[in-house]
Amino acid sequence: FGPIEVNTLLGNLTATNQFQPMVISDVRGTVTVENANSQIDVSNIKGGLFATNKFGQIQAEDLGGPFKLINENGGVMVILTDRFKGNSSINTTFGTIDITLPTTSNLLLKAKTSWGDILSDLPLTIDEFVGGKIGALRLGKGLDSLSLITTNASINISGGR
């Protein structure tokens, strides 16, 4: 396996890799990627995104469609724009979730951490339970949804563009 780099694709993409980075940008279709022991970096995806990683970071920016990001032993960093639509989720174990949301979006966000913290500069409602926290936030009409779940790590939520 070697590094995978895709820039400008009009269709769908499915790729699997190990020990080398994946850098994917400007895809008009759906992206499905799996990696281990290295990072996944995706940007400007017009369709859905389904990414799984182990022992490496996932970074995603400017996502259009629904997405599902799963990472074991690695963090996830996402920057969303108003273009984002759909029902999406981020799940990690032993990896922090950092997400920037546009304050003008129509989003219902739910966050849950076990053995971690939830921090936000947005008006998030947070409830504590033994070993964790649950948070909720509604922006605009809440038409789209985003679930953030992590174990043994924290969730950082900030408002952006």
Side-chain angles (χ1 to χ4, degrees):
F1 295 97
I4 294 176
E5 186 171 341
V6 176
N7 186 6
T8 310
L9 178 65
L10 299 178
N12 298 329
L13 171 70
T14 300
T16 302
N17 206 10
Q18 293 181 39
F19 299 105
Q20 295 289 326
M22 302 176 87
V23 179
I24 299 158
S25 63
D26 301 316
V27 177
R28 290 189 185 252
T30 297
V31 173
T32 304
V33 292
E34 183 176 340
N35 203 4
N37 301 296
S38 193
Q39 77 176 39
I40 297 172
D41 188 352
V42 294
S43 62
N44 195 24
I45 308 300
K46 304 271 193 259
L49 170 64
F50 307 94
T52 304
N53 203 3
K54 295 178 182 179
F55 298 100
Q57 182 86 1
I58 296 176
Q59 295 183 6
E61 184 173 355
D62 198 15
L63 306 176
F67 61 86
K68 183 174 185 175
L69 309 177
I70 300 170
N71 203 352
E72 296 177 25
N73 299 295
V76 174
M77 185 173 65
V78 175
I79 299 174
L80 294 178
T81 65
D82 282 333
R83 199 165 57 91
F84 161 73
K85 301 287 184 237
N87 300 320
S88 298
S89 65
I90 301 173
N91 296 312
T92 70
T93 55
F94 295 100
T96 299
I97 297 172
D98 292 296
I99 187 156
T100 302
L101 307 169
T103 56
T104 56
S105 63
N106 288 308
L107 180 66
L108 179 60
L109 179 139
K110 294 182 180 180
K112 180 181 178 185
T113 182
S114 298
W115 311 112
D117 202 359
I118 299 175
L119 304 171
S120 177
D121 63 3
L122 297 172
L124 194 69
T125 302
I126 297 176
D127 292 318
E128 294 188 36
F129 61 93
V130 175
K133 294 183 178 183
I134 296 175
L137 169 68
R138 182 177 169 157
L139 295 172
K141 296 179 181 178
L143 300 176
D144 302 304
S145 69
L146 178 57
S147 168
L148 310 174
I149 300 173
T150 188
T151 303
N152 296 311
S154 294
I155 299 172
N156 302 308
I157 303 163
S158 60
R161 32 184 172 153

